[in-house]
Amino acid sequence: MRYRKGKCDVIIGGFLLVFVVMGVNGSIHDYKDEAFIPRFNSFFFHGGSEGLYASKVHDSLPLSLSNDTNNYNKPLNGKSFIRFEPITFRRTKEAANKQNEMQQSTGIVEAIIVEVKDRNEIGGSFLNSDAICCTPALAKDGSCKVGEVIIHQDRENPGWPKRIQTSFEGNNEEANMELQTVEINKTGMYYLYFMFCNPELKGTLISGRTVWRNPEGYLPGKMAPLMTFYGLMSLAYLILGLLWFLRFVQHWKDIIQLHYHITAVIGLGMCEMALWYFEYANFNATGSRPMGITVWAVTFSAIKKTVSRLLLLVVSMGYGVVRPTLGGITSKVLLLGVVYFQASEALELVEHLGNINDFSGKARIFLVLPVALLDSCFIVWIFSSLSKTLEKLQIRRSMAKLELYRKFTNSLAVSVLLSVAWIGYELYFNASDPLSELWRRAWIIPAFWTLLAYLLLLVICILWAPSNNPTRYAYSGETLDDEEEGLSLTGSGVIVGGDLSKLERKERKASIAADHVFGLGEVVIEEDKRE
């Protein structure tokens, strides 16, 4: 039994990569002249894998088994099932010509539906056999039939794993699978395999599709919670946008350039979350991803990620605080942003629109590595810029601005530590769950990154919120920082004409002692005498 478990884990695990990319096609899995792969003494084709919840409705009316291939669009709320739409198996002409045209069955292809916890029920369990298909030696005790897949029925769930057979007749090249629906009454991760044991069927191709549905819609079980999550995040961004807009309008005369950048990120976040919610809602209703909405959602996601990282970078450089412009490095910042957008867009498109047979594991890694490398460049540049900005503020004795940037640095450091810890958790999660048995918790992986980005944006909005005293973070030139710090702390009223001059004089006299340290005391005294 132990040996058979390892064998079946290899079989199912070998198709896990296939599932990861095939999932992008949604709950309608299309097969277009796909080939079978040899495994042990059988031939496999992986038809799909999804987390399915048990049906909530159990009535006397069976699911439709008619020839209406569009019946998956009919209301089926509360039902969970796997439906076999028109599926055709086509063997080679050479294999067909070898058969007797009068013979009723000249080859069998089986559809096997197995819940991942019952994977040990497929294959030989005695005589130290690694066979998946029944052999004459294994058939002696009558536990299996020669030429069929060995299945040990689950005593607690009779009829499972599910077996559906389709036979080639005579010397026909094609065999059509009967249209039927298998209802799911037990929550779990389900795998579908098409298999045959007859070596003469080697080269057989499969075409058609299967439809998978959960009680609440066509979203796969591991994705279903994300629709609710994106709905809540849309609301969160809407609330943040409303509060920011009210603050923006209230202090519109004191708005600085940085506030427009923050506004753009909030707007992009609102659009991104709304598009993902509608994309998932459409997916849930139809069973396939809407190409247009998905492309827009992916594009807005890539733009928002890029603009968010650029915002963190320019804030770290002290843009609008210790420097009025980025100067000569503007082109470098924009170049990094453009490259990151292209890399991120390519990766997102592959993950959400790509087809399993178009991209191998190495190809996906080829797209992941540039994004990871560019993220590392952003992190290094951001923290090195923060270090320089803090140093400048300490030299200028701009205490309010220094405190502001210290809070920002601490928040950013916490987010980086959380990111590193979460990456470690992701690696552990994926390594400890190769067969997606923990599929009901998988949605928290992408949700974390979305939530972290929102919280970091919220911190920036709080620290750089528009106010009637923008001098606490606005750029004012190297020699005037201290005076503006004093003004920002006085807080009330409008100071004009002679009052401003008197205030400036008093503050400069009070700071003569400190200025002597930098050799400026005598200059200030002489200016006061002349005045």
Side-chain angles (χ1 to χ4, degrees):
M1 179 68 72
R2 182 178 302 172
Y3 180 80
R4 182 165 57 85
K5 178 180 179 180
K7 174 193 64 178
C8 291
D9 285 350
V10 170
I11 294 172
I12 298 179
F15 289 98
L16 185 61
L17 177 62
V18 176
F19 158 66
V20 170
V21 188
M22 190 167 192
V24 301
N25 292 328
S27 294
I28 298 178
H29 296 265
D30 290 309
Y31 320 126
K32 300 178 181 178
D33 291 331
E34 308 286 352
F36 287 73
I37 302 172
R39 283 292 185 273
F40 299 103
N41 65 338
S42 66
F43 292 83
F44 275 81
F45 172 73
H46 180 242
S49 310
E50 285 186 18
L52 294 174
Y53 292 94
S55 295
K56 295 181 179 180
V57 176
H58 302 279
D59 50 37
S60 58
L61 296 176
L63 294 173
S64 174
L65 299 180
S66 69
N67 290 330
D68 179 9
T69 59
N70 293 317
N71 57 17
Y72 62 86
N73 288 322
K74 296 179 180 179
L76 293 167
N77 289 335
K79 291 287 187 177
S80 182
F81 60 80
I82 301 174
R83 172 171 291 160
F84 295 87
E85 302 276 328
I87 293 178
T88 300
F89 304 103
R90 188 173 70 255
R91 57 184 172 184
T92 62
K93 291 183 178 180
E94 293 78 8
N97 292 334
K98 292 180 182 179
Q99 308 302 324
N100 186 341
E101 64 178 353
M102 302 301 295
Q103 193 172 348
Q104 186 174 3
S105 177
T106 55
I108 297 176
V109 181
E110 299 181 274
I112 309 294
I113 304 175
V114 57
E115 204 271 320
V116 68
K117 294 180 180 179
D118 298 329
R119 60 187 180 274
N120 297 331
E121 305 303 327
I122 298 178
S125 60
F126 45 88
L127 299 179
N128 293 325
S129 173
D130 61 357
I132 296 296
C133 294
C134 188
T135 63
L138 297 174
K140 289 182 178 179
D141 65 350
S143 60
C144 63
K145 295 181 180 180
V146 176
E148 295 184 359
V149 175
I150 303 171
I151 293 180
H152 306 275
Q153 295 294 318
D154 186 353
R155 295 179 181 178
E156 298 180 359
N157 191 16
W160 289 87
K162 182 74 66 177
R163 182 207 309 264
I164 303 172
Q165 295 183 335
T166 302
S167 298
F168 284 93
E169 297 181 359
N171 57 1
N172 292 337
E173 291 184 27
E174 294 185 353
N176 295 314
M177 186 175 180
E178 180 183 354
L179 302 181
Q180 56 187 293
T181 302
V182 176
E183 186 170 349
I184 304 299
N185 294 314
K186 179 183 177 183
T187 300
M189 172 60 70
Y190 286 85
Y191 282 73
L192 168 62
Y193 297 104
F194 295 95
M195 308 168 66
F196 61 82
C197 300
N198 188 348
E200 294 183 354
L201 294 179
K202 184 177 181 180
T204 297
L205 303 178
I206 178 175
S207 299
R209 69 178 185 177
T210 54
V211 178
W212 306 53
R213 192 185 193 280
N214 270 295
E216 303 299 331
Y218 290 99
L219 270 177
K222 66 191 306 182
M223 296 173 64
L226 285 173
M227 185 174 72
T228 302
F229 173 76
Y230 285 128
L232 294 175
M233 288 305 301
S234 298
L235 181 61
Y237 269 97
L238 181 62
I239 293 174
L240 177 60
L242 179 60
L243 294 176
W244 180 264
F245 175 76
L246 293 176
R247 191 84 176 181
F248 195 95
V249 172
Q250 184 180 0
H251 304 285
W252 67 272
K253 292 183 179 180
D254 301 307
I255 295 301
I256 62 176
Q257 192 67 31
L258 185 62
H259 290 144
Y260 292 102
H261 292 238
I262 297 174
T263 303
V265 175
I266 295 175
L268 288 171
M270 293 171 61
C271 294
E272 178 194 14
M273 294 299 104
L275 283 170
W276 279 122
Y277 174 78
F278 286 115
E279 197 266 355
Y280 273 60
N282 192 295
F283 189 0
N284 191 53
T286 64
S288 60
R289 308 197 82 149
M291 181 69 70
I293 298 178
T294 304
V295 171
W296 277 108
V298 166
T299 301
F300 267 91
S301 181
I303 294 175
K304 190 247 183 179
K305 286 181 181 179
T306 303
V307 175
S308 297
R309 282 156 178 75
L310 292 177
L311 174 63
L312 290 175
L313 182 57
V314 299
V315 168
S316 301
M317 290 178 174
Y319 173 68
V321 178
V322 299
R323 57 198 306 172
T325 64
L326 297 180
I329 61 174
T330 302
S331 58
K332 295 180 181 180
V333 172
L334 293 177
L335 178 61
L336 180 60
V338 170
V339 174
Y340 184 85
F341 168 74
Q342 292 176 343
S344 179
E345 176 83 351
L347 179 60
E348 292 278 348
L349 287 174
V350 169
E351 289 183 340
H352 294 92
L353 295 176
N355 186 282
I356 183 169
N357 296 320
D358 295 336
F359 298 95
S360 64
K362 293 182 179 180
R364 187 178 183 280
I365 292 176
F366 178 76
L367 294 172
V368 170
L369 288 179
V371 175
L373 180 61
L374 291 170
D375 274 327
S376 300
C377 291
F378 268 112
I379 291 174
V380 172
W381 201 353
I382 285 171
F383 277 98
S384 63
S385 300
L386 272 175
S387 177
K388 294 176 181 178
T389 301
L390 290 171
E391 185 179 354
K392 289 180 181 179
L393 292 174
Q394 286 177 336
I395 292 175
R396 300 177 189 178
R397 306 181 313 285
S398 302
M399 301 310 298
K401 295 176 183 178
L402 182 60
E403 183 64 21
L404 184 73
Y405 266 84
R406 281 176 176 169
K407 291 179 180 179
F408 174 66
T409 303
N410 292 337
S411 301
L412 199 58
V414 169
S415 70
V416 171
L417 291 176
L418 287 175
S419 298
V420 173
W422 193 257
I423 290 173
Y425 173 75
E426 280 192 48
L427 294 174
Y428 167 78
F429 184 88
N430 293 327
S432 61
D433 186 36
L435 302 178
S436 299
E437 293 180 84
L438 303 177
W439 57 276
R440 278 180 281 188
R441 280 190 276 163
W443 68 275
I444 65 174
I445 300 296
F448 170 83
W449 298 110
T450 301
L451 185 60
L452 181 63
Y454 176 81
L455 293 176
L456 195 54
L457 177 60
L458 182 62
V459 169
I460 293 177
C461 289
I462 294 174
L463 293 178
W464 274 271
S467 69
N468 54 4
N469 291 308
T471 52
R472 64 190 176 97
Y473 45 63
Y475 173 79
S476 55
E478 293 185 1
T479 61
L480 301 177
D481 279 308
D482 295 326
E483 296 172 10
E484 292 189 351
E485 292 297 340
L487 287 173
S488 67
L489 296 175
T490 60
S492 62
V494 179
I495 304 174
V496 294
D499 293 334
L500 178 59
S501 177
K502 292 177 182 179
L503 178 59
E504 289 176 344
R505 231 193 269 185
K506 289 180 181 179
E507 288 179 340
R508 283 189 299 188
K509 288 178 179 179
S511 64
I512 287 177
D515 289 338
H516 272 296
V517 179
F518 297 90
L520 302 175
E522 296 178 0
V523 176
V524 175
I525 291 174
E526 290 299 324
E527 289 181 358
D528 289 338
K529 287 181 178 179
R530 286 196 298 270
E531 292 175 353

